[in-house]
Amino acid sequence: MKTVSMIACVVAVSAILRPAFAQDEEIAGSLPPASLPSDALPLGGVITYVGNEGVVIEYGPAKIAVDALYDDGLGDYVETPAAIHAAMVAGDDPFDGITDVFVTHAHKDHYGPAAITDYLTAHPDVYALVPADLKVEGEGRETPAQPVLKQVVPLAGRDGIASPLNHGANFTWRFFQVPHGGRQHVVYWFALPPFERSVAEAAGAGISEQDLTILHLGDTDDYPEDLEPHRAAFAEHRTDVALVPFWLLDEPGLAELLNADQLIGIHVPVMGSSSLDADTMDWFSDPGEQRIIYKNMED
Ligand SMILES: [Zn+2]
């Protein structure tokens, strides 16, 4: 049986740009040929880009969104097209079945009170995990509308502090307090299991390392000082993909500090940037484009 290197596979697929709302056959068409055992675990996770730092991450039954509900690109950054926002609110594929939406901080290019309110109104079972100061009005700040506030879960803490592991409905996550722009700002780490199972079952099946692990750095400004306090925590778990603001992409040693296999840039200006190098970097720029991150491949 032909074997496939997971790393090589990730690199190969990450170069593929996909149109918005990829159909099933398009995703199927990109899978490796029939060299895999028929009882293989689900082969990959999918990250769908919706604009600026907004992504929807799917792996097995787990699907979450980060910074995907905002109203304003501040003139320089990619705004979510109305059709994609409408598809999210409507819960159309590939945005169906999102269980939780996460917000890194309350700046307008990451969080929109109207966008969040629309979404949570349409999805009363979905929770929004947000920095605690996002729920505090004043100084021009706007909170989500009163009827959906019960779905908005504040994350407290101060800079430099990491949360303990939290357990969602079917995935594990934690957050790290990192300074940015005078607002509370958090970096998220997620571990999405490939299918619903207990920890004991996973260990018995020898697949405890096969969660899809994603780090979202939000608008982390200063490297390495703002990330160094969390180096030990990042070292606890290998990260498959770190979503990194483009201004950090060329920082030497970043992938090592994050303990990440792959970096994908986000927050890329509409006009692009001279610091981006297509030969050595990958980044999101077109809402609707996707990356498939292969997992559970044989070495
Ligand atoms: Zn920003």
Side-chain angles (χ1 to χ4, degrees):
M1 183 174 65
K2 185 184 169 196
T3 58
V4 182
S5 158
M6 188 179 80
I7 296 298
C9 213
V10 168
V11 171
V13 190
S14 68
I16 298 172
L17 300 185
R18 290 174 193 288
F21 316 118
Q23 299 301 304
D24 287 349
E25 65 262 30
E26 290 175 304
I27 292 177
S30 70
L31 294 177
S35 57
L36 295 159
S38 59
D39 59 349
L41 294 169
L43 292 180
V46 180
I47 304 175
T48 302
Y49 179 66
V50 302
N52 198 32
E53 291 202 342
V55 289
V56 174
I57 304 164
E58 176 180 7
Y59 189 49
K63 191 182 290 189
I64 59 177
V66 186
D67 282 359
L69 296 163
Y70 64 101
D71 304 313
D72 192 341
L74 306 180
D76 290 328
Y77 302 111
V78 179
E79 296 184 359
T80 303
I84 289 185
H85 179 75
M88 291 184 67
V89 172
D92 294 338
D93 179 51
F95 306 117
D96 54 314
I98 292 170
T99 59
D100 300 273
V101 297
F102 293 82
V103 177
T104 62
H105 64 297
H107 287 162
K108 289 180 178 176
D109 51 331
H110 301 260
Y111 152 76
I116 287 260
T117 298
D118 286 351
Y119 188 84
L120 294 181
T121 300
H123 300 274
D125 297 331
V126 171
Y127 285 96
L129 293 302
V130 307
D133 74 349
L134 188 147
K135 290 190 80 172
V136 180
E137 283 194 70
E139 299 175 17
R141 298 173 180 180
E142 203 178 338
T143 69
Q146 183 64 37
V148 302
L149 280 182
K150 61 184 181 300
Q151 294 163 257
V152 179
V153 180
L155 305 175
R158 64 183 190 278
D159 291 348
I161 300 299
S163 72
L165 282 171
N166 291 272
H167 298 274
N170 55 6
F171 58 94
T172 301
W173 59 281
R174 67 188 307 181
F175 63 96
F176 303 86
Q177 306 276 345
V178 171
H180 171 64
R183 297 298 301 259
Q184 193 188 355
H185 172 257
V186 300
V187 164
Y188 291 106
W189 183 86
F190 306 101
L192 308 184
F195 53 88
E196 290 174 309
R197 52 172 164 67
S198 70
V199 172
E201 287 169 342
I207 54 173
S208 59
E209 300 303 315
Q210 294 303 310
D211 292 355
L212 178 70
T213 50
I214 305 285
L215 189 61
H216 190 297
L217 286 192
D219 275 5
T220 298
D221 296 300
D222 296 321
Y223 174 86
E225 53 268 42
D226 288 345
L227 294 173
E228 195 63 53
H230 302 299
R231 179 188 288 269
F234 295 145
E236 290 175 15
H237 303 275
R238 190 70 176 161
T239 288
D240 292 309
V241 175
L243 298 163
V244 175
F246 79 95
W247 54 82
L248 295 184
L249 274 179
D250 60 356
E251 293 288 356
L254 178 63
E256 181 191 0
L257 192 162
L258 299 177
N259 192 21
D261 281 335
Q262 183 182 0
L263 307 180
I264 300 178
I266 49 178
H267 218 308
V268 172
V270 173
M271 301 299 288
S273 168
S274 61
S275 70
L276 294 168
D277 177 359
D279 290 335
T280 60
M281 300 173 183
D282 184 24
W283 62 86
F284 282 125
S285 58
D286 298 321
E289 68 173 306
Q290 297 180 312
R291 298 290 186 281
I292 297 178
I293 313 301
Y294 284 102
K295 297 291 295 185
N296 306 309
M297 311 287 280
E298 293 193 12
D299 292 325

